[in-house]
């Protein structure tokens, strides 16, 4: 027999499915929602409903958006000559924070991951090739993570784009700004040395 | 609390909380363990790029009383998979090693032979050379786990198999001569006619190669040409043996199959 009433049990079970939420945290969150006002609970429920009802993928770049095409693809001020390829929609916000890139994006929604059964056909790479083939693009920047899976994805995409008359580049990796070389690991430092430049 | 300082290979990682990670680690001294790397996603000082699967590290960790998870204090990289180029093939091969070890090794059970096997194949797994280490690992791990049948004789009649083709089937342990192979009809291991059989042939060359693999270090085989077609039947035999004992399909074997080599 369950410890809680059925609606409470249902909410705890639903919350437990969220990443990083265990049984105890789910219980705590459920009790918090129970104690909050009806308006607050309704606001939360409505936010979840709206999220699912209004958000979709941009038909051009696969970013998550409430308008199609998304704000980046429909912007008149952004350069159409370059496309920055990222693994997840969240990566776009991080690159935008740098204010050093004003081109378009392409979101893969993952990376090649043999362990998780994600192969080349599961990536949204075909639409990237289509965008490049339609013309106007001069450079594709591969900004997948510097992990084994991210590197494998970058190499795979570079192979797909190889025959097209564009520049394909990979983001640099190296020592983080403001850090201490003493604490950099060997792989990162080796890559920083490989990617050194004249000053 | 007991502090350890051991050689280890990172198998997998899972994010928990804001920036912590749970790491599955195959250590030389303690076997497979799991531990928490606090603030691993934020601070690069203690772990750097060492939490990437298949990174060979010198690990400092602390066992805590009555706690299943150890506390991971710091890793020093001995060899990283990112020190060499990576493509889908190499990523699939590395993931294949990880998946098998994750699925087969019990926690806290030291396996020095398997640890040495892993280090040997990791060193040889390169973009242009994945099929030798994959074959070598698949065959050796099957043997070290005690799941490899006698390759020299038919499992039914005991006839010597060397010098001729032999047969295997996903549903049955062992190798068989033609007369006793699954689906061969009356007298076969399943007593059935061929129509429903999933039997496959293991060539005499591949059987001879298996014998060589058990007598030769991986580093000595890497100089030979290993196209994906070489010993594909032997790989399939080893993978089927593993999958039969695990009672499930290996996800990474499917990835290797996509590459045309499993």
């Amino acid at each position: 027999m369950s410890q809680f009433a059925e609606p409470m049990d249902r909410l705890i079970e639903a919350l437990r499915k969220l990443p990083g939420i265990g049984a105890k945290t789910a219980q705590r969150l459920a009790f918090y929602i129970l104690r909050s006002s009806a308006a607050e609970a309704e606001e939360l429920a409505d936010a979840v409903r709206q999220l699912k009802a209004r958000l979709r993928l941009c038909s051009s770049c696969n970013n998550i958006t409430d308008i199609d095409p998304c704000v980046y693809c429909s912007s008149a001020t952004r350069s159409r000559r370059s496309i920055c390829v990222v693994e997840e929609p969240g990566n776009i916000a991080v690159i935008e924070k740098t204010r050093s890139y004003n081109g378009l994006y392409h979101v893969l929604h993952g990376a090649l991951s043999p362990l998780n059964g994600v192969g080349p056909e599961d990536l949204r790479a075909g639409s990237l090739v289509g965008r490049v083939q339609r013309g106007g693009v001069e450079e594709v920047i591969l900004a997948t993570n510097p992990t084994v899976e991210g590197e494998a994805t970058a190499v795979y995409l570079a192979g797909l784009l190889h025959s097209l008359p564009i520049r394909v580049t990979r983001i640099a990796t190296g020592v983080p700004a403001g850090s201490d070389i003493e604490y950099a690991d060997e792989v990162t430092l080796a890559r920083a040395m490989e990617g050194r430049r004249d000053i | 609390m007991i502090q350890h300082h051991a050689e280890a290979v990172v198998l997998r990682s899972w994010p928990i909380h804001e920036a912590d990670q749970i790491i599955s680690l195959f250590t030389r001294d303690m076997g497979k363990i799991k531990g928490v790397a606090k603030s691993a996603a934020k601070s690069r000082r203690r772990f750097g790029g060492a939490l990437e699967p298949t990174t060979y590290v010198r690990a400092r960790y602390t066992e805590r009383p009555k706690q299943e998870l150890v506390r991971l204090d710091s890793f020093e990289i001995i060899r990283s998979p990112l020190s060499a180029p990576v493509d889908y093939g190499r990523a699939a091969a590395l993931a294949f090693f990880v998946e098998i070890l994750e699925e087969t090794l019990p926690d806290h059970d030291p396996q020095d032979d398997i640890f040495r096997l892993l280090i040997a194949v990791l060193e040889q797994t390169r973009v242009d050379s994945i099929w030798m280490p994959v074959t070598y690992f698949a065959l050796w791990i099957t043997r070290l786990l005690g799941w490899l049948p006698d390759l020299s004789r038919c499992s039914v009649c005991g006839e010597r198999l060397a010098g001729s083709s032999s047969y295997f089937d996903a549903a049955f342990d062992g190798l068989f001569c033609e007369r006793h192979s699954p689906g061969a009809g009356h007298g076969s291991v399943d007593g059935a006619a061929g129509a429903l059989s999933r039997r496959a042939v293991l060539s005499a060359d591949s059987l001879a190669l298996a014998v060589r693999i058990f007598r030769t270090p991986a580093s000595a085989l890497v100089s030979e040409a290993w196209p994906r077609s070489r010993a594909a039947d032997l790989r399939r035999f080893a993978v089927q043996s593993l999958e039969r004992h695990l009672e499930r399909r290996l996800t990474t074997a499917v990835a290797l199959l996509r590459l045309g080599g499993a």
Side-chain angles (χ1 to χ4, degrees), chain A residues 114-187:
Chain A
L115 207 48
N116 294 311
V118 181
E121 66 282 358
D122 301 311
L123 293 181
R124 293 165 194 268
S127 54
L128 171 66
V129 175
R131 288 176 76 187
V132 175
Q133 280 172 334
R134 281 195 287 278
V137 177
E138 293 172 6
E139 181 180 5
V140 170
I141 304 164
L142 301 172
T144 52
N145 290 328
T147 59
V148 168
E149 293 177 351
E151 291 289 335
T153 306
V155 168
Y156 170 72
L157 293 176
L160 280 185
L161 299 166
H162 179 69
S163 58
L164 300 170
I166 53 159
R167 189 174 169 221
V168 181
T169 56
R170 178 87 174 103
I171 52 164
T173 48
V175 183
S179 69
D180 194 327
I181 280 182
E182 199 180 328
Y183 292 106
D185 64 88
E186 295 87 331
V187 180

Coordinates of all heavy atoms in Angstrom, one line a residue, chain A residues 114-187:
Chain A
P114 N 28.0 5.5 -29.8 CA 27.8 4.1 -29.9 C 27.2 3.4 -28.7 O 26.4 2.5 -28.8 CB 29.2 3.6 -30.3 CG 30.0 4.7 -30.7 CD 29.4 5.9 -30.0
L115 N 27.6 3.9 -27.5 CA 27.2 3.3 -26.3 C 25.7 3.5 -26.0 O 25.0 2.7 -25.4 CB 28.0 3.9 -25.1 CG 28.2 3.0 -23.9 CD1 28.6 1.6 -24.2 CD2 29.2 3.7 -23.0
N116 N 25.2 4.6 -26.6 CA 23.8 4.9 -26.4 C 23.0 4.6 -27.7 O 21.8 5.0 -27.8 CB 23.6 6.4 -26.0 CG 24.2 6.6 -24.6 OD1 23.9 5.9 -23.7 ND2 25.0 7.7 -24.5
G117 N 23.6 3.9 -28.6 CA 22.9 3.5 -29.8 C 22.6 4.7 -30.8 O 21.7 4.6 -31.6
V118 N 23.3 5.8 -30.6 CA 23.1 6.9 -31.6 C 24.2 6.8 -32.7 O 25.4 7.0 -32.5 CB 23.3 8.3 -30.8 CG1 23.0 9.4 -31.8 CG2 22.3 8.4 -29.6
G119 N 23.7 6.6 -33.9 CA 24.6 6.4 -35.0 C 24.4 7.6 -36.0 O 23.6 8.5 -35.7
P120 N 25.1 7.6 -37.1 CA 25.1 8.8 -38.0 C 23.7 9.1 -38.5 O 23.3 10.3 -38.7 CB 26.0 8.3 -39.2 CG 26.9 7.3 -38.6 CD 26.1 6.6 -37.5
E121 N 22.8 8.1 -38.7 CA 21.5 8.3 -39.2 C 20.6 9.0 -38.2 O 19.5 9.5 -38.5 CB 20.9 7.1 -39.8 CG 20.5 6.0 -38.8 CD 21.8 5.2 -38.4 OE1 22.9 5.4 -38.9 OE2 21.6 4.3 -37.5
D122 N 21.0 9.0 -36.9 CA 20.2 9.6 -35.9 C 20.5 11.1 -35.7 O 19.7 11.8 -35.0 CB 20.4 8.9 -34.5 CG 20.1 7.4 -34.6 OD1 19.0 7.1 -35.1 OD2 20.9 6.6 -34.2
L123 N 21.5 11.6 -36.3 CA 21.9 13.0 -36.2 C 21.1 13.8 -37.2 O 20.7 13.2 -38.3 CB 23.4 13.2 -36.4 CG 24.4 12.7 -35.4 CD1 25.8 13.0 -35.9 CD2 24.1 13.2 -34.0
R124 N 20.9 15.1 -37.0 CA 20.2 15.9 -37.9 C 21.2 16.5 -38.8 O 21.4 17.8 -38.9 CB 19.3 17.0 -37.2 CG 18.2 16.3 -36.4 CD 17.6 17.3 -35.5 NE 16.7 16.6 -34.5 CZ 15.4 16.4 -34.7 NH1 14.8 16.9 -35.8 NH2 14.7 15.8 -33.8
A125 N 22.0 15.6 -39.5 CA 23.1 16.1 -40.3 C 22.6 16.4 -41.8 O 23.2 17.2 -42.5 CB 24.2 15.1 -40.3
G126 N 21.6 15.6 -42.3 CA 21.2 15.7 -43.6 C 20.7 17.1 -43.9 O 21.0 17.7 -45.0
S127 N 20.0 17.7 -43.0 CA 19.5 19.1 -43.2 C 20.6 20.1 -43.2 O 20.5 21.2 -43.9 CB 18.4 19.4 -42.1 OG 18.9 19.3 -40.8
L128 N 21.7 19.8 -42.5 CA 22.9 20.7 -42.5 C 23.5 20.7 -43.9 O 23.7 21.8 -44.5 CB 23.9 20.3 -41.5 CG 25.2 21.0 -41.6 CD1 25.1 22.4 -41.2 CD2 26.3 20.3 -40.7
V129 N 23.6 19.6 -44.5 CA 24.2 19.5 -45.9 C 23.3 20.2 -46.9 O 23.7 20.9 -47.7 CB 24.4 18.0 -46.3 CG1 24.8 17.9 -47.7 CG2 25.4 17.3 -45.4
G130 N 21.9 20.0 -46.7 CA 21.0 20.7 -47.5 C 21.1 22.2 -47.4 O 21.0 22.9 -48.5
R131 N 21.3 22.7 -46.2 CA 21.4 24.2 -46.1 C 22.6 24.7 -46.8 O 22.6 25.7 -47.4 CB 21.5 24.5 -44.6 CG 20.2 24.4 -43.8 CD 20.4 24.6 -42.3 NE 20.6 26.1 -42.0 CZ 20.9 26.5 -40.8 NH1 21.1 25.7 -39.9 NH2 21.0 27.8 -40.6
V132 N 23.7 23.9 -46.7 CA 25.0 24.4 -47.3 C 24.8 24.3 -48.9 O 25.2 25.2 -49.6 CB 26.2 23.5 -46.9 CG1 27.4 23.9 -47.6 CG2 26.4 23.7 -45.4
Q133 N 24.2 23.2 -49.3 CA 24.0 23.0 -50.8 C 23.1 24.1 -51.4 O 23.3 24.4 -52.6 CB 23.4 21.7 -51.1 CG 24.4 20.5 -51.0 CD 23.8 19.2 -51.1 OE1 22.6 19.0 -50.8 NE2 24.6 18.2 -51.6
R134 N 22.2 24.7 -50.6 CA 21.4 25.7 -51.1 C 22.1 27.0 -51.5 O 21.7 27.9 -52.1 CB 20.2 26.0 -50.2 CG 19.1 25.0 -50.3 CD 17.8 25.5 -49.6 NE 17.9 25.4 -48.2 CZ 17.7 24.3 -47.5 NH1 17.4 23.2 -48.0 NH2 17.8 24.4 -46.1
G135 N 23.4 27.1 -51.0 CA 24.3 28.2 -51.3 C 24.3 29.3 -50.3 O 23.5 29.4 -49.4
G136 N 25.3 30.2 -50.5 CA 25.5 31.4 -49.6 C 26.3 31.1 -48.4 O 26.8 32.1 -47.8
V137 N 26.5 29.9 -48.0 CA 27.3 29.5 -46.8 C 28.8 29.4 -47.3 O 29.1 28.7 -48.2 CB 26.8 28.2 -46.2 CG1 27.7 27.9 -45.0 CG2 25.4 28.4 -45.7
E138 N 29.7 30.1 -46.5 CA 31.1 30.0 -46.8 C 31.9 29.2 -45.8 O 33.0 28.7 -46.1 CB 31.7 31.4 -46.9 CG 31.1 32.2 -48.1 CD 31.6 33.7 -48.1 OE1 32.4 34.1 -47.2 OE2 31.0 34.5 -48.9
E139 N 31.4 29.1 -44.6 CA 32.1 28.4 -43.5 C 31.1 27.7 -42.6 O 30.1 28.2 -42.2 CB 32.9 29.4 -42.7 CG 33.7 28.7 -41.6 CD 34.6 29.6 -40.8 OE1 34.4 30.9 -41.0 OE2 35.3 29.2 -39.9
V140 N 31.5 26.4 -42.3 CA 30.7 25.7 -41.2 C 31.7 25.5 -40.1 O 32.8 25.0 -40.3 CB 30.2 24.3 -41.8 CG1 29.7 23.5 -40.6 CG2 29.1 24.5 -42.8
I141 N 31.3 26.0 -38.9 CA 32.1 25.8 -37.7 C 31.6 24.7 -36.9 O 30.4 24.7 -36.5 CB 32.1 27.1 -36.9 CG1 32.5 28.3 -37.7 CG2 33.0 27.0 -35.6 CD1 32.1 29.7 -37.1
L142 N 32.4 23.7 -36.7 CA 32.0 22.5 -35.9 C 32.3 22.7 -34.4 O 33.4 22.7 -34.0 CB 32.7 21.3 -36.4 CG 32.4 21.0 -37.9 CD1 33.3 19.8 -38.4 CD2 31.0 20.7 -38.2
A143 N 31.2 23.0 -33.7 CA 31.4 23.4 -32.2 C 30.8 22.3 -31.3 O 30.2 22.6 -30.3 CB 30.8 24.7 -31.9
T144 N 31.1 21.0 -31.7 CA 30.6 19.9 -30.9 C 31.6 19.8 -29.7 O 32.7 20.4 -29.7 CB 30.6 18.6 -31.6 OG1 31.9 18.4 -32.3 CG2 29.5 18.6 -32.7
N145 N 31.2 19.1 -28.6 CA 32.1 19.1 -27.4 C 33.4 18.4 -27.7 O 33.5 17.5 -28.5 CB 31.4 18.3 -26.3 CG 30.2 19.1 -25.8 OD1 30.2 20.3 -25.7 ND2 29.1 18.4 -25.4
P146 N 34.5 18.8 -27.0 CA 35.8 18.2 -27.2 C 35.9 16.9 -26.4 O 36.8 16.7 -25.6 CB 36.8 19.2 -26.7 CG 36.0 20.0 -25.7 CD 34.6 20.0 -26.1
T147 N 34.9 16.0 -26.6 CA 34.9 14.7 -26.0 C 35.1 13.6 -27.1 O 35.1 14.0 -28.3 CB 33.5 14.4 -25.3 OG1 32.5 14.5 -26.3 CG2 33.3 15.4 -24.2
V148 N 35.2 12.4 -26.8 CA 35.4 11.3 -27.8 C 34.2 11.4 -28.8 O 34.3 11.4 -30.0 CB 35.5 9.9 -27.2 CG1 35.4 8.8 -28.2 CG2 36.9 9.8 -26.5
E149 N 33.0 11.5 -28.2 CA 31.7 11.5 -29.0 C 31.6 12.8 -29.8 O 31.3 12.7 -31.0 CB 30.5 11.3 -28.1 CG 30.5 9.9 -27.4 CD 29.3 9.7 -26.5 OE1 28.6 10.7 -26.2 OE2 29.2 8.6 -26.0
G150 N 32.0 13.9 -29.2 CA 31.9 15.2 -30.0 C 33.0 15.2 -31.1 O 32.7 15.7 -32.2
E151 N 34.2 14.7 -30.8 CA 35.2 14.7 -31.9 C 34.8 13.7 -33.0 O 35.0 14.1 -34.2 CB 36.5 14.2 -31.3 CG 37.2 15.1 -30.3 CD 37.8 16.4 -30.9 OE1 38.1 16.3 -32.1 OE2 37.9 17.4 -30.2
A152 N 34.2 12.6 -32.6 CA 33.8 11.6 -33.7 C 32.7 12.3 -34.5 O 32.7 12.1 -35.8 CB 33.3 10.3 -33.0
T153 N 31.8 13.0 -33.9 CA 30.8 13.7 -34.6 C 31.3 14.8 -35.6 O 30.9 14.9 -36.7 CB 29.8 14.4 -33.6 OG1 29.3 13.4 -32.7 CG2 28.6 15.0 -34.3
A154 N 32.3 15.5 -35.1 CA 32.9 16.6 -35.9 C 33.6 16.0 -37.1 O 33.5 16.5 -38.2 CB 33.9 17.4 -35.1
V155 N 34.3 14.9 -36.9 CA 35.0 14.2 -38.0 C 34.0 13.7 -39.0 O 34.2 13.8 -40.2 CB 35.9 13.1 -37.5 CG1 36.4 12.2 -38.6 CG2 37.1 13.6 -36.7
Y156 N 32.9 13.1 -38.5 CA 31.9 12.6 -39.4 C 31.3 13.7 -40.3 O 31.1 13.6 -41.5 CB 30.8 11.9 -38.6 CG 29.5 11.5 -39.4 CD1 29.6 10.5 -40.3 CD2 28.4 12.3 -39.2 CE1 28.5 10.2 -41.1 CE2 27.3 12.0 -40.0 CZ 27.3 10.9 -40.9 OH 26.2 10.6 -41.7
L157 N 30.9 14.9 -39.6 CA 30.3 16.0 -40.4 C 31.3 16.6 -41.4 O 31.0 16.9 -42.5 CB 29.9 17.1 -39.4 CG 28.7 16.7 -38.4 CD1 28.4 17.8 -37.5 CD2 27.5 16.4 -39.2
A158 N 32.6 16.7 -40.9 CA 33.6 17.2 -41.9 C 33.7 16.3 -43.1 O 33.8 16.8 -44.2 CB 35.0 17.2 -41.2
G159 N 33.5 15.0 -42.9 CA 33.5 14.1 -44.1 C 32.3 14.3 -45.0 O 32.5 14.3 -46.2
L160 N 31.2 14.6 -44.4 CA 30.0 14.8 -45.2 C 30.1 16.1 -46.0 O 29.6 16.2 -47.1 CB 28.8 15.0 -44.3 CG 28.1 13.8 -43.7 CD1 26.8 14.2 -42.9 CD2 27.7 12.8 -44.8
L161 N 30.8 17.1 -45.4 CA 30.9 18.4 -46.0 C 32.1 18.6 -46.9 O 32.3 19.6 -47.6 CB 30.9 19.5 -44.9 CG 29.7 19.6 -44.0 CD1 29.9 20.4 -42.8 CD2 28.4 20.1 -44.8
H162 N 32.9 17.6 -46.9 CA 34.2 17.6 -47.5 C 34.1 18.0 -49.0 O 35.0 18.8 -49.5 CB 34.9 16.3 -47.4 CG 36.2 16.2 -48.0 ND1 37.3 16.9 -47.6 CD2 36.7 15.5 -49.1 CE1 38.4 16.6 -48.3 NE2 38.0 15.8 -49.3
S163 N 33.1 17.5 -49.7 CA 33.1 17.7 -51.2 C 32.5 19.0 -51.5 O 32.5 19.4 -52.7 CB 32.3 16.6 -51.8 OG 31.0 16.6 -51.2
L164 N 32.0 19.8 -50.6 CA 31.3 21.1 -50.9 C 32.3 22.2 -50.8 O 33.3 22.2 -50.0 CB 30.2 21.3 -49.9 CG 29.1 20.2 -49.9 CD1 28.1 20.4 -48.7 CD2 28.3 20.3 -51.2
P165 N 32.1 23.2 -51.7 CA 33.1 24.3 -51.8 C 33.1 25.3 -50.6 O 32.8 26.5 -50.8 CB 32.8 24.9 -53.1 CG 31.3 24.7 -53.3 CD 31.0 23.4 -52.6
I166 N 33.2 24.8 -49.4 CA 33.2 25.7 -48.2 C 34.4 25.4 -47.3 O 35.0 24.4 -47.5 CB 31.9 25.5 -47.4 CG1 31.7 24.0 -47.1 CG2 30.7 26.1 -48.2 CD1 30.8 23.8 -45.9
R167 N 34.6 26.3 -46.4 CA 35.6 26.1 -45.4 C 34.9 25.4 -44.2 O 33.9 25.9 -43.7 CB 36.1 27.5 -45.0 CG 37.3 27.5 -44.1 CD 37.8 28.9 -43.9 NE 38.9 28.9 -42.8 CZ 39.0 29.8 -41.9 NH1 38.1 30.8 -41.8 NH2 39.9 29.7 -41.0
V168 N 35.5 24.3 -43.7 CA 35.0 23.6 -42.5 C 36.0 23.8 -41.4 O 37.2 23.4 -41.6 CB 34.7 22.1 -42.8 CG1 34.2 21.4 -41.6 CG2 33.7 22.0 -44.0
T169 N 35.6 24.4 -40.3 CA 36.6 24.6 -39.2 C 36.1 23.9 -37.9 O 34.9 23.7 -37.8 CB 36.8 26.1 -38.9 OG1 35.5 26.7 -38.7 CG2 37.4 26.8 -40.1
R170 N 37.0 23.7 -37.0 CA 36.7 23.1 -35.7 C 37.1 24.1 -34.7 O 38.2 24.8 -34.8 CB 37.6 21.8 -35.5 CG 37.4 21.1 -34.2 CD 36.2 20.1 -34.3 NE 36.1 19.3 -33.1 CZ 35.2 19.5 -32.1 NH1 34.3 20.5 -32.2 NH2 35.1 18.7 -31.1
I171 N 36.2 24.3 -33.6 CA 36.6 25.3 -32.6 C 37.9 24.8 -31.9 O 38.2 23.6 -31.8 CB 35.5 25.4 -31.5 CG1 35.0 24.1 -31.0 CG2 34.3 26.2 -32.1 CD1 34.2 24.2 -29.7
A172 N 38.7 25.8 -31.5 CA 39.9 25.5 -30.8 C 39.7 25.0 -29.4 O 38.7 25.3 -28.8 CB 40.8 26.8 -30.8
T173 N 40.7 24.2 -28.9 CA 40.6 23.8 -27.5 C 41.9 24.2 -26.9 O 43.0 24.2 -27.5 CB 40.4 22.3 -27.4 OG1 41.4 21.6 -28.2 CG2 39.0 21.8 -27.7
G174 N 41.9 24.5 -25.6 CA 43.2 24.9 -24.9 C 42.9 25.3 -23.5 O 41.9 25.0 -22.9
V175 N 43.9 26.0 -22.9 CA 43.8 26.4 -21.5 C 42.8 27.5 -21.3 O 42.7 28.4 -22.0 CB 45.2 26.9 -21.1 CG1 45.2 27.2 -19.6 CG2 46.3 25.9 -21.4
P176 N 41.9 27.3 -20.3 CA 40.8 28.3 -20.1 C 41.5 29.6 -19.7 O 42.4 29.7 -18.9 CB 40.0 27.7 -19.0 CG 40.4 26.3 -18.9 CD 41.8 26.2 -19.4
A177 N 40.9 30.8 -20.2 CA 41.3 32.1 -19.8 C 41.2 32.3 -18.3 O 40.2 31.8 -17.7 CB 40.5 33.1 -20.5
G178 N 42.2 32.9 -17.7 CA 42.2 33.1 -16.3 C 42.6 32.0 -15.4 O 42.6 32.1 -14.2
S179 N 43.0 30.8 -16.0 CA 43.3 29.7 -15.2 C 44.9 29.6 -15.1 O 45.6 30.5 -15.7 CB 42.8 28.4 -15.9 OG 43.5 28.1 -17.1
D180 N 45.3 28.6 -14.5 CA 46.8 28.4 -14.2 C 47.3 27.2 -15.1 O 46.7 26.1 -14.9 CB 47.0 28.2 -12.7 CG 48.4 28.3 -12.3 OD1 49.3 28.0 -13.2 OD2 48.6 28.8 -11.2
I181 N 48.3 27.4 -15.8 CA 48.9 26.3 -16.7 C 49.2 25.1 -15.8 O 49.1 24.0 -16.2 CB 50.1 26.8 -17.5 CG1 49.6 27.6 -18.7 CG2 51.0 25.7 -17.9 CD1 50.6 28.1 -19.6
E182 N 49.6 25.4 -14.6 CA 50.1 24.3 -13.6 C 48.9 23.3 -13.4 O 49.2 22.1 -13.2 CB 50.4 25.0 -12.3 CG 51.2 24.1 -11.4 CD 51.6 24.8 -10.1 OE1 51.7 26.0 -10.1 OE2 51.7 24.1 -9.1
Y183 N 47.7 23.8 -13.5 CA 46.6 22.9 -13.3 C 45.9 22.3 -14.5 O 45.0 21.6 -14.5 CB 45.5 23.6 -12.4 CG 46.0 23.9 -11.0 CD1 46.3 25.2 -10.7 CD2 46.1 22.9 -10.1 CE1 46.8 25.5 -9.4 CE2 46.6 23.1 -8.8 CZ 46.9 24.4 -8.5 OH 47.4 24.7 -7.2
A184 N 46.5 22.7 -15.7 CA 45.9 22.2 -16.9 C 46.3 20.7 -17.1 O 47.5 20.3 -16.8 CB 46.4 23.0 -18.1
D185 N 45.4 19.9 -17.6 CA 45.8 18.5 -17.8 C 46.6 18.4 -19.1 O 46.6 19.3 -20.0 CB 44.5 17.6 -17.9 CG 43.6 17.9 -19.0 OD1 43.8 17.4 -20.1 OD2 42.7 18.8 -18.9
E186 N 47.3 17.2 -19.3 CA 48.2 17.0 -20.4 C 47.5 17.2 -21.7 O 48.1 17.7 -22.7 CB 48.9 15.7 -20.3 CG 49.8 15.5 -19.1 CD 49.0 15.0 -17.9 OE1 47.8 15.3 -17.7 OE2 49.6 14.4 -17.0
V187 N 46.3 16.6 -21.9 CA 45.7 16.6 -23.2 C 45.3 18.0 -23.6 O 45.6 18.4 -24.7 CB 44.4 15.7 -23.1 CG1 43.7 15.7 -24.5 CG2 44.7 14.3 -22.7

